[in-house]
Amino acid sequence: MQNLVLNQSVRLNNGVEMPVFGLGVWKTRSGKECVDAVLSALELGYRHIDTAKIYGNESDVGEAIRKSGVPRNELFITTKLWNSDQKDPRKYLEESLKTIGVDQIDLYLIHFPVAGTRKQAWKELEKAYKDGLARAIGVSNYTIPHLQELFQYAEITPAVNQVEYHPFLNQNDLLNTCKKNNIVLEAYSPLAHGQRISDPKLAKIAKKYGKTPAQILIRWAIDKGMVVIPKSVKRERILENSQVFDFSLSGSDLQEMETWNENFRTCWDPTGA
Ligand SMILES: NC(=O)c1ccc[n+]([C@@H]2O[C@H](COP(=O)([O-])OP(=O)(O)OC[C@H]3O[C@@H](n4cnc5c(N)ncnc54)[C@H](OP(=O)(O)O)[C@@H]3O)[C@@H](O)[C@H]2O)c1
């Protein structure tokens, strides 16, 4: 099957094109596991990789990129500012660039809205963006109150808010707030970290489309207008997860999946942070 992954992107609020689909590498072990996963993804047509300093595998992402031979300007790489580094974002962004081996990052995110330092961190990110260290800047794990607070002091609206999002944690109010403010919502843990892959409701829909549960969850995120970054270290799953551009979910199936929300979180909860 022709892999159409490359053809789909969303235009961020500053005009930068971001692929709607990419590979996440949280918990992908540094070394051979991460290099092989990223290399497989790039060979299979992925052009978007999501890492973070705290994942400890930025250098492996860089190594895989160099091994792949894919030109830098065809790639979209995201990394993130770790919580304890929020007092000096530029220093840590420069460190990440060096570790990955690139001159500029495509997207740099505040990893988590740490009380006390998130405002200063955003103002510093704005400066780094203006100086060309990142093609776009954004936030992660921001709830509606965090965004509202940021709007009071931000000169630049975040291009992206990366949050946990899947049918079992369907945060429509947050999605609508992001859309209204021209912020792309990027769904992390779109497979609910693998914990709901055997859900019978999901199996039923998957059977109907001749697709796998993972493919339904990924397509659901895309059909709702989000960017999505499933993680796998297995080449066959990396391929499977990318084969979601030859179908879309019907209105009635999308509607049914809207009823699955359980506020089921697999990752950290930023509420009240
Ligand atoms: N900003 C943040 O705070 C934050 C937090 C969490 C995640 N993220 C980002 O989002 C990415 C994705 O989230 P995630 O890693 O938490 O979880 P995920 O993508 O929802 O799920 C990954 C899990 O599902 C398994 N899996 C992958 N493809 C599968 C398939 N086709 N069928 C069955 N199981 C499959 C993986 O196992 P195998 O690897 O063994 O295949 C792994 O255990 C992360 O890697 C990271 O880049 C960001």
Side-chain angles (χ1 to χ4, degrees), residues 5 19-24 46-50 227-231:
V5 171
V20 298
F21 174 80
L23 180 78
Y46 285 55
R47 290 296 179 266
H48 169 187
I49 309 293
D50 182 87
V227 168
V228 62
I229 45 166
K231 170 260 180 187

Side-chain angles (χ1 to χ4, degrees), residues 207-222:
K207 196 170 166 208
K208 186 166 149 186
Y209 288 85
K211 287 285 179 183
T212 66
Q215 288 168 333
I216 297 295
L217 292 173
I218 294 163
R219 187 67 225 183
W220 180 82
I222 294 169

Side-chain angles (χ1 to χ4, degrees), residues 23-27 50-51 55 80 111 140-141 162 187-194 197 212 214 229-234 237 240-241 266-268:
L23 180 78
V25 295
W26 180 38
K27 293 198 175 169
D50 182 87
T51 184
Y55 301 169
K80 311 182 191 91
H111 207 141
S140 179
N141 295 296
Q162 184 186 109
Y188 80 60
S189 304
L191 310 178
H193 208 58
I197 215 80
T212 66
I229 45 166
K231 170 260 180 187
S232 179
V233 296
K234 300 184 175 70
R237 286 181 173 174
E240 174 190 327
N241 294 346
T266 67
C267 203
W268 46 4

Side-chain angles (χ1 to χ4, degrees), residues 73-186:
N73 63 5
E74 285 183 20
L75 292 168
F76 192 98
I77 311 161
T78 300
T79 195
K80 311 182 191 91
L81 175 68
W82 182 239
N83 298 351
S84 52
D85 300 341
Q86 287 192 4
K87 287 198 173 123
D88 199 352
R90 176 181 290 259
K91 175 178 161 202
Y92 293 102
L93 170 51
E94 281 171 349
E95 259 183 35
S96 284
L97 294 178
K98 213 167 150 201
T99 307
I100 300 170
V102 290
D103 299 330
Q104 192 187 39
I105 202 75
D106 296 287
L107 178 63
Y108 197 54
L109 302 175
I110 292 186
H111 207 141
F112 191 87
V114 179
T117 49
R118 61 185 177 240
K119 176 178 176 181
Q120 181 195 343
W122 185 254
K123 298 311 287 175
E124 290 298 319
L125 247 64
E126 288 180 334
K127 284 188 206 154
Y129 168 73
K130 285 182 192 164
D131 291 343
L133 273 65
R135 292 176 68 226
I137 51 173
V139 294
S140 179
N141 295 296
Y142 274 48
T143 62
I144 295 172
H146 294 124
L147 290 175
Q148 283 166 343
E149 176 200 278
L150 179 142
F151 293 150
Q152 289 172 18
Y153 55 74
E155 193 188 319
I156 298 171
T157 301
V160 168
N161 184 17
Q162 184 186 109
V163 299
E164 181 170 353
Y165 211 117
H166 43 73
F168 311 100
L169 179 65
N170 190 356
Q171 311 185 64
N172 275 317
D173 288 347
L174 180 59
L175 177 60
N176 290 334
T177 301
C178 287
K179 283 186 177 170
K180 211 172 84 194
N181 289 283
N182 214 1
I183 299 169
V184 166
L185 193 149
E186 182 175 15

Side-chain angles (χ1 to χ4, degrees), residues 22-26 28-51 57-70 75-77 100 231-235 238:
L23 180 78
V25 295
W26 180 38
T28 300
R29 273 173 296 180
S30 177
K32 187 171 161 35
E33 183 172 86
C34 186
V35 174
D36 286 355
V38 175
L39 199 50
S40 285
L42 296 175
E43 283 167 5
L44 293 166
Y46 285 55
R47 290 296 179 266
H48 169 187
I49 309 293
D50 182 87
T51 184
N57 53 24
E58 287 178 317
S59 65
D60 307 288
V61 169
E63 186 182 331
I65 287 169
R66 286 187 293 281
K67 275 193 175 165
S68 76
V70 177
L75 292 168
F76 192 98
I77 311 161
I100 300 170
K231 170 260 180 187
S232 179
V233 296
K234 300 184 175 70
R235 189 178 172 99
I238 292 172

